Amino acid sequence: MKRFILIIASAAAMMAAGAPEVGAQEKAEKHFRYEFRLGLGGYPESDHDNFTSLRSGSFYLRDTSFKNLFDDYDGPTYMTGNIMASFGVHVGKRLTLSLGLAANGMWKDQYDVFTDRKTGRVTGCVVTVLPQIRFDWISQDALRLYSSLGLGTTRGSFDGRSDRYLAGQAVFLGITVGRRFIVFAECGSGSLYKGGMGGFGYRF
């Protein structure tokens, strides 16, 4: 009987000792439920196709009347690439829902047709709102491998053209390293970029 009581008391003591550790683990998981990210994407092909003079590999023809022969001519178009901020919620051990807001700045210089001197600059911006769902193939405290899919909308204006269209982005493979402060890199294809995106983030 004494041995039985001793076994029960020992088991109770072990459970009591383990309770704070379990509670701390649950608290840590809850503490890192949310995630903020800031990243820079690769080549924004959709923005280029919709807002520059090159469309589907051919030149976009403009008015070529005699008076336009003496207008300023355009230099090459430059883009910042999509700078994206996103907020995510971990709804499970492997599933994350996020909402991202991305902006791609565009600009080009204009030159005098006779002197080749710069006469001005044309600027614009393309903005994308993109909800995404992400699945972690590997989900550890400091390392995650994932894929994601997003569908949203893009709207922008550049060089007198305005456009609005559906946006989609697939991430084939991404990696996140870190616990509270994280860095990430991913490769994918879609409206935001073709190639890759990288950046950093914070969990809380």
Side-chain angles (χ1 to χ4, degrees):
M1 185 66 178
K2 291 182 179 180
R3 181 177 295 179
F4 178 74
I5 295 175
L6 183 60
I7 292 174
I8 296 297
S10 299
M14 292 176 62
M15 291 176 63
E21 183 178 354
V22 173
Q25 183 178 358
E26 292 177 352
K27 185 177 180 180
E29 291 177 355
K30 183 178 181 180
H31 184 72
F32 294 105
R33 184 181 181 187
Y34 306 105
E35 181 179 295
F36 173 78
R37 289 188 177 198
L38 186 63
L40 176 62
Y43 180 58
E45 185 177 46
S46 295
D47 294 348
H48 180 272
D49 291 344
N50 284 278
F51 292 100
T52 71
S53 296
L54 291 174
R55 297 194 177 187
S56 303
S58 60
F59 283 100
Y60 178 76
L61 300 179
R62 293 190 289 181
D63 184 12
T64 56
S65 60
F66 182 77
K67 64 183 181 65
N68 293 115
L69 294 176
F70 303 101
D71 287 348
D72 294 344
Y73 69 91
D74 297 335
T77 298
Y78 298 96
M79 297 180 287
T80 61
N82 273 295
I83 301 171
M84 184 172 185
S86 65
F87 178 77
V89 180
H90 302 297
V91 297
K93 181 176 177 58
R94 296 181 181 273
L95 196 64
T96 302
L97 301 178
S98 68
L99 179 64
L101 179 65
N104 176 29
M106 306 179 70
W107 71 95
K108 65 180 178 182
D109 293 330
Q110 295 181 317
Y111 300 88
D112 185 271
V113 68
F114 296 109
T115 64
D116 292 330
R117 296 181 61 181
K118 179 180 173 181
T119 58
R121 171 170 289 186
V122 179
T123 60
C125 186
V126 184
V127 177
T128 300
V129 177
L130 190 74
Q132 289 181 294
I133 182 170
R134 189 174 79 213
F135 178 80
D136 294 338
W137 301 104
I138 297 177
S139 181
Q140 299 178 356
D141 287 344
L143 176 66
R144 297 192 179 203
L145 294 180
Y146 63 89
S147 299
S148 69
L149 186 65
L151 184 64
T153 182
T154 295
R155 186 171 186 175
S157 179
F158 177 69
D159 195 20
R161 304 172 193 158
S162 296
D163 203 355
R164 183 175 183 176
Y165 47 91
L166 287 177
Q169 184 69 38
V171 174
F172 307 131
L173 184 63
I175 181 171
T176 300
V177 179
R179 289 183 173 85
R180 183 183 295 271
F181 293 97
I182 62 173
V183 293
F184 72 93
E186 57 189 39
C187 61
S189 180
S191 302
L192 286 181
Y193 65 86
K194 283 193 174 181
M197 172 177 275
F200 57 92
Y202 179 76
R203 291 186 182 137
F204 58 98

